Amino acid sequence: DAGVIQSPRHEVTEMGQEVTLRCKPISGHDYLFWYRQTMMRGLELLIYFNNNVPIDDSGMPEDRFSAKMPNASFSTLKIQPSEPRDSAVYFCAIGTGSSYEQYFGPGTRLTVT
Amino acid sequence: DAKTTQPPSMDCAEGRAANLPCNHSTISGNEYVYWYRQIHSQGPQYIIHGLKNNETNEMASLIITEDRKSSTLILPHATLRDTAVYYCIVPDPNRDDKIIFGKGTRLHILP
């Protein structure tokens, strides 16, 4: 976890509210990934960036989800409006050189009531 | 991804070697085998990867059969902290840069 900081660690919000999850990776990486994990669906890739450019967002559930990476040290995942089915743990991960050797952050546990 | 098959769960006594199998019979020549694990309430952790030679690092050893259709991750002296879900992944380098996590093997280390 040392290479990736995620905030907040826990988020509880009401349905319909906007939620912003943050990821601050260490510098020197090429790839940044956002995953979501639930008991029902396991660990799912939502979107990934290569050199700050979004490459594949096919895993983003719907238009309510958006992600940005304005620079190499910061990325956000936004859900607007949030729904109870968005409740999950959201992980940010980085890769350097190889996109298959990834290092994950501690995750953000999101609960939407 | 080349399909991988892992047992859903395994037990291992503390202090013994934990041997986690993975079948990947459709693997092709340029595809690596990657192993990750996820300890409860933590993010997944990269362990090791290999192509065809056996590999060892401070965490584990990876033994790949000569035909590359299966592999075994070995934790030489399992401790309670090794209790986790272990994922065997074979990404397709010709398709894209992402990896797909399956269901993995839930390893219980017994005291």
Side-chain angles (χ1 to χ4, degrees):
Chain A
D1 296 351
V4 182
I5 299 172
Q6 290 189 247
S7 63
R9 293 295 308 276
H10 301 273
E11 176 82 26
V12 180
T13 190
E14 293 183 347
M15 181 174 63
Q17 296 298 307
E18 176 180 299
V19 175
T20 299
L21 311 180
R22 296 173 177 80
C23 176
K24 295 183 67 176
I26 60 172
S27 61
H29 63 277
D30 300 313
Y31 293 88
L32 184 138
F33 305 81
W34 280 101
Y35 291 85
R36 176 174 70 175
Q37 186 170 35
T38 62
M39 288 292 292
M40 290 293 293
R41 300 176 66 90
L43 195 60
E44 303 173 281
L45 176 66
L46 300 177
I47 184 172
Y48 75 92
F49 298 81
N50 181 214
N51 293 320
N52 309 339
V53 176
I55 302 300
D56 184 347
D57 64 354
S58 60
M60 297 285 261
E62 46 199 270
D63 292 346
R64 298 184 298 106
F65 285 68
S66 63
K68 294 182 179 180
M69 191 166 184
N71 58 64
S73 301
F74 186 63
S75 178
T76 59
L77 178 68
K78 185 178 294 186
I79 308 173
Q80 165 65 19
S82 59
E83 297 183 2
R85 58 187 167 135
D86 302 330
S87 297
V89 180
Y90 290 81
F91 291 104
C92 176
I94 60 173
T96 302
S98 164
S99 61
Y100 307 140
E101 186 176 331
Q102 298 177 17
Y103 295 88
F104 284 70
T108 295
R109 181 173 296 277
L110 172 66
T111 303
V112 183
T113 60
Chain B
D1 288 356
K3 181 177 175 61
T4 61
T5 304
Q6 298 178 255
S9 67
M10 292 182 62
D11 292 338
C12 178
E14 188 178 18
R16 305 296 294 268
N19 297 284
L20 294 103
C22 180
N23 288 323
H24 30 78
S25 57
T26 60
I27 195 170
S28 57
N30 62 344
E31 293 177 332
Y32 283 73
V33 181
Y34 280 75
W35 283 83
Y36 282 76
R37 74 178 181 183
Q38 187 172 21
I39 296 169
H40 182 62
S41 297
Q42 296 183 21
Q45 179 187 23
Y46 164 80
I47 300 173
I48 198 169
H49 71 277
L51 183 62
K52 52 185 175 181
N53 297 322
N54 298 337
E55 302 288 344
T56 296
N57 63 21
E58 66 278 4
M59 290 183 66
S61 295
L62 175 60
I63 308 299
I64 302 173
T65 58
E66 192 169 343
D67 63 7
R68 303 207 328 118
K69 293 182 183 299
S70 66
S71 60
T72 301
L73 181 75
I74 301 172
L75 308 178
H77 304 287
T79 71
L80 296 177
R81 290 174 296 179
D82 293 320
T83 293
V85 178
Y86 287 77
Y87 298 95
C88 171
I89 301 166
V90 178
D92 182 352
N94 297 319
R95 196 173 74 180
D96 47 40
D97 296 320
K98 58 191 181 186
I99 57 176
I100 307 298
F101 288 83
K103 296 187 184 300
T105 295
R106 186 170 296 276
L107 176 66
H108 299 275
I109 304 301
L110 307 175

